[in-house]
Amino acid sequence: MQENSWIPIWPDQASTFALQVDYLYIYLIFVSIAFTIPIVAALFFFLIKYREKEKYATPDEMHGSIALETVWSIIPFVVSMTIFLGGAYVYYNQFRIPDDPAMEVYVVGKQWMWKLQHSTGHREINELHVPVGKKVKLTMTTEDVLHDFSVPAFRTKTDVVPGRYTYLWFEATKPGKYHLFCAEYCGLNHSGMGGYVYVMTQPDFDNWLSGSVSGQTPVEQGRDLFENKLGCASCHAGGPAQRGAKLEGIFGKDIRLVGGQTVKVTDAYIRESILNPSGQIVEGYQPIMPTFKGQVTEEQLVSLVAYIKSLSGVTGTTSASGDSGASQPASNSASNSTTAPRADRGNSNTQGSNPNAPGSRTEPANRPR
Ligand code: CUA
């Protein structure tokens, strides 16, 4: 389908992984051929040489050959280790997510579409625009069943799993339009669950960013949920009214739980703490938080996690382009400005600020349960 790949049945090589994966693949084909030909040749040779010449002939006795056995053990060992090392190299490259991605995108799979949101607030459906030559990190989850985010031209894919976050990264090397697939059967319209990744030069990408409407960034959206819609701030804001665990500066750190274990604060831990608050209580706090299971969508969870991370100065992105000013200070000021107003807000709506929470309807939220 692409005219510029050198073997027409292969997709474009459009990421830094592509060449590595293809080399490994070609090597595997080469090894398979190198074993198949001699084996088939030997089969025919022995078939003819040792065909039955006389009835009930007794063959000469044979007591084995150390040299032969050594050779046919060592050669396959060396060959299989080269395959292992090549595979491990490719694997580590793909599945160790870089610490310093230039751009972060949140992905939510859903029967049968991909919903993507940039940390600048731009939203896309079944399309992803990225700049060329930049490391892009995807944080992915799904609202329903298993999906699999797959871009053949980048030679990478990762399952998108209900109830957890999975990650994928790539660095595109060539501007163009590349197929995006769902590579895991997920129901009736699985085959239609795809779209395109548009790899653009940096100026084109900047144009695209400024041309398309950006909504709230995930951090802003998360702050809105936190302070207003879900009322998290009434317990988690600093000041005398603080009843919920402190959220500032915790991301990436180990915190102590009731019972003495420690846990590292990750995306998954924050998500889990919102959905199942009594599962892992931070030492020094009461298990009074109601669950938010069923009340927040995966997209809202992604925003809440992004916001809570921003309280630790983790901004997800420094934006791919020169306009990093937009996202970086924005989230800094977010975490600064939150301290004061949030405290007020926290005091003013201590009572039932979350009308949707199952617990808060019937009993005061501050009574330990
Ligand atoms: Cu989603 Cu297949």
Side-chain angles (χ1 to χ4, degrees):
M1 59 188 165
Q2 285 86 4
E3 55 268 299
N4 45 355
S5 60
W6 49 282
I7 295 178
I9 54 166
W10 283 11
D12 266 335
Q13 297 172 325
S15 80
T16 49
F17 305 140
L19 211 58
Q20 299 167 3
V21 172
D22 287 356
Y23 279 150
L24 185 63
Y25 192 61
I26 292 167
Y27 178 65
L28 286 172
I29 292 175
F30 171 80
V31 169
S32 308
I33 292 172
F35 274 90
T36 306
I37 290 177
I39 288 170
V40 173
L43 193 77
F44 280 101
F45 176 74
F46 291 138
L47 201 69
I48 291 160
K49 180 158 184 215
Y50 297 109
R51 70 186 186 280
E52 193 181 58
K53 288 175 205 148
E54 66 179 275
K55 279 276 175 211
Y56 312 120
T58 330
D60 293 337
E61 241 176 81
M62 176 143 173
H63 294 283
S65 157
I66 293 291
L68 197 61
E69 285 179 27
T70 310
V71 167
W72 78 38
S73 300
I74 287 179
I75 291 177
F77 175 73
V78 171
V79 170
S80 50
M81 286 313 284
T82 58
I83 295 172
F84 166 71
L85 289 174
Y89 179 76
V90 169
Y91 182 85
Y92 277 115
N93 258 328
Q94 291 206 359
F95 291 96
R96 268 191 318 200
I97 308 297
D99 296 327
D100 55 339
M103 206 179 120
E104 208 169 328
V105 180
Y106 298 102
V107 179
V108 176
K110 176 183 184 327
Q111 283 170 322
W112 287 275
M113 63 167 95
W114 294 106
K115 298 191 280 188
L116 302 104
Q117 187 176 20
H118 295 249
S119 39
T120 50
H122 295 76
R123 290 170 172 281
E124 307 190 64
I125 286 182
N126 293 340
E127 287 189 348
L128 173 61
H129 290 75
V130 293
V132 72
K134 292 279 161 74
K135 290 176 184 158
V136 179
K137 174 184 170 189
L138 308 184
T139 301
M140 312 190 291
T141 190
T142 158
E143 281 179 20
D144 36 50
V145 299
L146 264 182
H147 302 278
D148 187 304
F149 192 95
S150 164
V151 184
F154 295 167
R155 305 292 191 279
T156 190
K157 67 204 265 277
T158 295
D159 271 4
V160 178
V161 186
R164 54 166 109 146
Y165 292 125
T166 55
Y167 305 91
L168 181 73
W169 84 279
F170 58 81
E171 180 180 334
T173 51
K174 214 164 57 163
K177 178 183 176 187
Y178 307 107
H179 252 298
L180 155 68
F181 291 101
C182 174
E184 178 79 51
Y185 182 71
C186 56
L188 191 63
N189 291 332
H190 155 73
S191 62
M193 186 173 168
Y196 291 95
V197 178
Y198 295 86
V199 177
M200 312 167 103
T201 60
Q202 191 66 54
D204 284 353
F205 182 70
D206 291 342
N207 254 337
W208 177 82
L209 273 185
S210 58
S212 56
V213 190
S214 76
Q216 285 178 308
T217 68
V219 170
E220 289 164 356
Q221 212 175 5
R223 177 150 43 112
D224 192 27
L225 288 164
F226 190 91
E227 295 181 351
N228 307 318
K229 302 209 173 96
L230 300 174
C232 318
S234 63
C235 292
H236 286 284
Q242 175 145 5
R243 282 171 286 138
K246 180 171 166 289
L247 301 178
E248 287 80 4
I250 55 166
F251 191 76
K253 304 251 166 63
D254 289 326
I255 49 168
R256 275 177 74 85
L257 302 177
V258 168
Q261 325 91 302
T262 57
V263 64
K264 191 170 179 192
V265 180
T266 58
D267 294 4
Y269 172 75
I270 298 173
R271 182 185 178 284
E272 189 53 30
S273 298
I274 298 168
L275 295 178
N276 182 19
S278 52
Q280 295 177 304
I281 307 278
V282 177
E283 192 168 61
Y285 293 92
Q286 297 295 319
I288 54 173
M289 177 170 159
T291 174
F292 285 83
K293 201 171 247 165
Q295 300 179 53
V296 282
T297 64
E298 288 295 343
E299 282 170 284
Q300 291 175 322
L301 279 167
V302 157
S303 304
L304 278 169
V305 171
Y307 171 66
I308 290 169
K309 279 163 81 172
S310 79
L311 298 178
S312 305
V314 181
T315 58
T317 184
T318 47
S319 172
S321 58
D323 73 350
S324 65
S327 61
Q328 191 83 35
S331 55
N332 283 347
S333 66
S335 50
N336 292 339
S337 68
T338 44
T339 350
R342 261 182 34 201
D344 307 345
R345 203 170 269 125
N347 292 337
S348 60
N349 40 345
T350 326
Q351 306 295 323
S353 59
N354 175 19
N356 294 327
S360 64
R361 255 188 300 254
T362 48
E363 53 193 304
N366 53 355
R367 200 180 72 203
R369 283 185 281 162

PDB file of all heavy atoms in Angstrom, residues 110 112 114 145-148 182-187 190-191 193, ligand 1:
ATOM      1  N   LYS A 110     -12.654   2.728  23.234  1.00  0.00           N
ATOM      2  CA  LYS A 110     -14.074   2.564  23.503  1.00  0.00           C
ATOM      3  C   LYS A 110     -14.641   1.848  22.297  1.00  0.00           C
ATOM      4  O   LYS A 110     -14.217   2.111  21.178  1.00  0.00           O
ATOM      5  CB  LYS A 110     -14.680   3.961  23.648  1.00  0.00           C
ATOM      6  CG  LYS A 110     -16.159   4.021  23.834  1.00  0.00           C
ATOM      7  CD  LYS A 110     -16.517   5.509  23.883  1.00  0.00           C
ATOM      8  CE  LYS A 110     -17.917   5.824  24.144  1.00  0.00           C
ATOM      9  NZ  LYS A 110     -19.056   5.325  23.893  1.00  0.00           N
ATOM     10  N   TRP A 112     -16.566   1.781  19.319  1.00  0.00           N
ATOM     11  CA  TRP A 112     -15.386   1.309  18.640  1.00  0.00           C
ATOM     12  C   TRP A 112     -14.663   2.517  18.107  1.00  0.00           C
ATOM     13  O   TRP A 112     -14.777   2.845  16.935  1.00  0.00           O
ATOM     14  CB  TRP A 112     -15.785   0.383  17.496  1.00  0.00           C
ATOM     15  CG  TRP A 112     -16.261  -0.942  18.004  1.00  0.00           C
ATOM     16  CD1 TRP A 112     -15.464  -2.015  18.327  1.00  0.00           C
ATOM     17  CD2 TRP A 112     -17.603  -1.392  18.249  1.00  0.00           C
ATOM     18  NE1 TRP A 112     -16.215  -3.091  18.764  1.00  0.00           N
ATOM     19  CE2 TRP A 112     -17.542  -2.728  18.728  1.00  0.00           C
ATOM     20  CE3 TRP A 112     -18.854  -0.796  18.147  1.00  0.00           C
ATOM     21  CZ2 TRP A 112     -18.675  -3.462  19.072  1.00  0.00           C
ATOM     22  CZ3 TRP A 112     -19.972  -1.534  18.496  1.00  0.00           C
ATOM     23  CH2 TRP A 112     -19.873  -2.857  18.948  1.00  0.00           C
ATOM     24  N   TRP A 114     -11.197   5.471  19.050  1.00  0.00           N
ATOM     25  CA  TRP A 114     -10.098   5.936  19.892  1.00  0.00           C
ATOM     26  C   TRP A 114     -10.332   7.398  20.229  1.00  0.00           C
ATOM     27  O   TRP A 114     -10.507   8.210  19.334  1.00  0.00           O
ATOM     28  CB  TRP A 114      -8.764   5.804  19.147  1.00  0.00           C
ATOM     29  CG  TRP A 114      -8.370   4.393  18.868  1.00  0.00           C
ATOM     30  CD1 TRP A 114      -8.409   3.760  17.645  1.00  0.00           C
ATOM     31  CD2 TRP A 114      -7.868   3.440  19.810  1.00  0.00           C
ATOM     32  NE1 TRP A 114      -7.966   2.471  17.793  1.00  0.00           N
ATOM     33  CE2 TRP A 114      -7.631   2.245  19.092  1.00  0.00           C
ATOM     34  CE3 TRP A 114      -7.604   3.472  21.175  1.00  0.00           C
ATOM     35  CZ2 TRP A 114      -7.128   1.094  19.709  1.00  0.00           C
ATOM     36  CZ3 TRP A 114      -7.108   2.327  21.772  1.00  0.00           C
ATOM     37  CH2 TRP A 114      -6.874   1.161  21.050  1.00  0.00           C
ATOM     38  N   VAL A 145     -13.925  -2.836  26.895  1.00  0.00           N
ATOM     39  CA  VAL A 145     -13.205  -4.108  26.786  1.00  0.00           C
ATOM     40  C   VAL A 145     -11.759  -3.872  26.353  1.00  0.00           C
ATOM     41  O   VAL A 145     -11.339  -2.747  26.154  1.00  0.00           O
ATOM     42  CB  VAL A 145     -13.916  -5.030  25.766  1.00  0.00           C
ATOM     43  CG1 VAL A 145     -15.326  -5.336  26.202  1.00  0.00           C
ATOM     44  CG2 VAL A 145     -13.898  -4.404  24.384  1.00  0.00           C
ATOM     45  N   LEU A 146     -11.033  -4.960  26.236  1.00  0.00           N
ATOM     46  CA  LEU A 146      -9.658  -4.892  25.747  1.00  0.00           C
ATOM     47  C   LEU A 146      -9.616  -4.354  24.319  1.00  0.00           C
ATOM     48  O   LEU A 146     -10.389  -4.791  23.474  1.00  0.00           O
ATOM     49  CB  LEU A 146      -9.061  -6.299  25.692  1.00  0.00           C
ATOM     50  CG  LEU A 146      -8.229  -6.831  26.825  1.00  0.00           C
ATOM     51  CD1 LEU A 146      -7.751  -8.223  26.465  1.00  0.00           C
ATOM     52  CD2 LEU A 146      -7.032  -5.937  27.069  1.00  0.00           C
ATOM     53  N   HIS A 147      -8.705  -3.430  24.077  1.00  0.00           N
ATOM     54  CA  HIS A 147      -8.378  -3.025  22.719  1.00  0.00           C
ATOM     55  C   HIS A 147      -6.861  -3.086  22.598  1.00  0.00           C
ATOM     56  O   HIS A 147      -6.170  -3.412  23.570  1.00  0.00           O
ATOM     57  CB  HIS A 147      -8.876  -1.610  22.434  1.00  0.00           C
ATOM     58  CG  HIS A 147     -10.353  -1.426  22.632  1.00  0.00           C
ATOM     59  ND1 HIS A 147     -11.281  -1.770  21.691  1.00  0.00           N
ATOM     60  CD2 HIS A 147     -11.061  -0.938  23.688  1.00  0.00           C
ATOM     61  CE1 HIS A 147     -12.495  -1.507  22.143  1.00  0.00           C
ATOM     62  NE2 HIS A 147     -12.391  -0.993  23.364  1.00  0.00           N
ATOM     63  N   ASP A 148      -6.356  -2.750  21.436  1.00  0.00           N
ATOM     64  CA  ASP A 148      -4.911  -2.754  21.268  1.00  0.00           C
ATOM     65  C   ASP A 148      -4.536  -1.667  20.285  1.00  0.00           C
ATOM     66  O   ASP A 148      -4.980  -1.666  19.147  1.00  0.00           O
ATOM     67  CB  ASP A 148      -4.452  -4.122  20.771  1.00  0.00           C
ATOM     68  CG  ASP A 148      -2.937  -4.244  20.734  1.00  0.00           C
ATOM     69  OD1 ASP A 148      -2.276  -3.415  20.084  1.00  0.00           O
ATOM     70  OD2 ASP A 148      -2.416  -5.182  21.338  1.00  0.00           O
ATOM     71  N   CYS A 182      -6.971  -0.980  15.722  1.00  0.00           N
ATOM     72  CA  CYS A 182      -7.183  -1.729  16.943  1.00  0.00           C
ATOM     73  C   CYS A 182      -6.790  -3.157  16.589  1.00  0.00           C
ATOM     74  O   CYS A 182      -7.316  -3.732  15.650  1.00  0.00           O
ATOM     75  CB  CYS A 182      -8.640  -1.678  17.393  1.00  0.00           C
ATOM     76  SG  CYS A 182      -8.947  -2.745  18.811  1.00  0.00           S
ATOM     77  N   ALA A 183      -5.848  -3.698  17.326  1.00  0.00           N
ATOM     78  CA  ALA A 183      -5.292  -4.995  16.959  1.00  0.00           C
ATOM     79  C   ALA A 183      -5.710  -6.089  17.934  1.00  0.00           C
ATOM     80  O   ALA A 183      -4.955  -7.008  18.205  1.00  0.00           O
ATOM     81  CB  ALA A 183      -3.768  -4.906  16.868  1.00  0.00           C
ATOM     82  N   GLU A 184      -6.891  -5.940  18.505  1.00  0.00           N
ATOM     83  CA  GLU A 184      -7.375  -6.968  19.426  1.00  0.00           C
ATOM     84  C   GLU A 184      -8.872  -7.059  19.183  1.00  0.00           C
ATOM     85  O   GLU A 184      -9.561  -6.047  19.298  1.00  0.00           O
ATOM     86  CB  GLU A 184      -7.087  -6.529  20.864  1.00  0.00           C
ATOM     87  CG  GLU A 184      -7.570  -7.467  21.928  1.00  0.00           C
ATOM     88  CD  GLU A 184      -6.640  -8.646  22.106  1.00  0.00           C
ATOM     89  OE1 GLU A 184      -5.423  -8.411  22.273  1.00  0.00           O
ATOM     90  OE2 GLU A 184      -7.115  -9.777  22.056  1.00  0.00           O
ATOM     91  N   TYR A 185      -9.363  -8.245  18.868  1.00  0.00           N
ATOM     92  CA  TYR A 185     -10.779  -8.360  18.540  1.00  0.00           C
ATOM     93  C   TYR A 185     -11.626  -7.888  19.723  1.00  0.00           C
ATOM     94  O   TYR A 185     -11.509  -8.396  20.836  1.00  0.00           O
ATOM     95  CB  TYR A 185     -11.145  -9.796  18.174  1.00  0.00           C
ATOM     96  CG  TYR A 185     -12.597  -9.890  17.801  1.00  0.00           C
ATOM     97  CD1 TYR A 185     -13.054  -9.336  16.609  1.00  0.00           C
ATOM     98  CD2 TYR A 185     -13.520 -10.477  18.649  1.00  0.00           C
ATOM     99  CE1 TYR A 185     -14.386  -9.380  16.269  1.00  0.00           C
ATOM    100  CE2 TYR A 185     -14.854 -10.522  18.321  1.00  0.00           C
ATOM    101  CZ  TYR A 185     -15.286  -9.964  17.130  1.00  0.00           C
ATOM    102  OH  TYR A 185     -16.617 -10.000  16.817  1.00  0.00           O
ATOM    103  N   CYS A 186     -12.482  -6.886  19.469  1.00  0.00           N
ATOM    104  CA  CYS A 186     -13.181  -6.254  20.589  1.00  0.00           C
ATOM    105  C   CYS A 186     -14.669  -6.128  20.331  1.00  0.00           C
ATOM    106  O   CYS A 186     -15.348  -5.334  20.958  1.00  0.00           O
ATOM    107  CB  CYS A 186     -12.576  -4.875  20.858  1.00  0.00           C
ATOM    108  SG  CYS A 186     -12.595  -3.796  19.428  1.00  0.00           S
ATOM    109  N   GLY A 187     -15.189  -6.904  19.396  1.00  0.00           N
ATOM    110  CA  GLY A 187     -16.621  -6.849  19.154  1.00  0.00           C
ATOM    111  C   GLY A 187     -16.932  -6.573  17.694  1.00  0.00           C
ATOM    112  O   GLY A 187     -16.043  -6.521  16.847  1.00  0.00           O
ATOM    113  N   HIS A 190     -14.969  -4.108  15.445  1.00  0.00           N
ATOM    114  CA  HIS A 190     -13.525  -4.093  15.697  1.00  0.00           C
ATOM    115  C   HIS A 190     -12.739  -3.651  14.463  1.00  0.00           C
ATOM    116  O   HIS A 190     -11.831  -2.833  14.544  1.00  0.00           O
ATOM    117  CB  HIS A 190     -13.078  -5.487  16.155  1.00  0.00           C
ATOM    118  CG  HIS A 190     -11.652  -5.784  15.892  1.00  0.00           C
ATOM    119  ND1 HIS A 190     -10.636  -5.212  16.626  1.00  0.00           N
ATOM    120  CD2 HIS A 190     -11.061  -6.579  14.974  1.00  0.00           C
ATOM    121  CE1 HIS A 190      -9.482  -5.656  16.155  1.00  0.00           C
ATOM    122  NE2 HIS A 190      -9.700  -6.476  15.162  1.00  0.00           N
ATOM    123  N   SER A 191     -13.138  -4.206  13.303  1.00  0.00           N
ATOM    124  CA  SER A 191     -12.352  -3.918  12.094  1.00  0.00           C
ATOM    125  C   SER A 191     -12.453  -2.450  11.698  1.00  0.00           C
ATOM    126  O   SER A 191     -11.600  -1.940  10.984  1.00  0.00           O
ATOM    127  CB  SER A 191     -12.820  -4.796  10.939  1.00  0.00           C
ATOM    128  OG  SER A 191     -14.174  -4.501  10.653  1.00  0.00           O
ATOM    129  N   MET A 193     -12.409  -0.016  13.886  1.00  0.00           N
ATOM    130  CA  MET A 193     -11.867   0.808  14.973  1.00  0.00           C
ATOM    131  C   MET A 193     -10.440   1.214  14.637  1.00  0.00           C
ATOM    132  O   MET A 193      -9.491   0.615  15.110  1.00  0.00           O
ATOM    133  CB  MET A 193     -11.898   0.019  16.286  1.00  0.00           C
ATOM    134  CG  MET A 193     -11.495   0.843  17.480  1.00  0.00           C
ATOM    135  SD  MET A 193     -11.748  -0.093  18.984  1.00  0.00           S
ATOM    136  CE  MET A 193     -10.878   0.933  20.150  1.00  0.00           C
TER     137      MET A 193
HETATM  138 CU1  CUA B   1     -11.042  -2.250  19.712  1.00  0.00          CU
HETATM  139 CU2  CUA B   1     -10.632  -4.169  18.392  1.00  0.00          CU
END
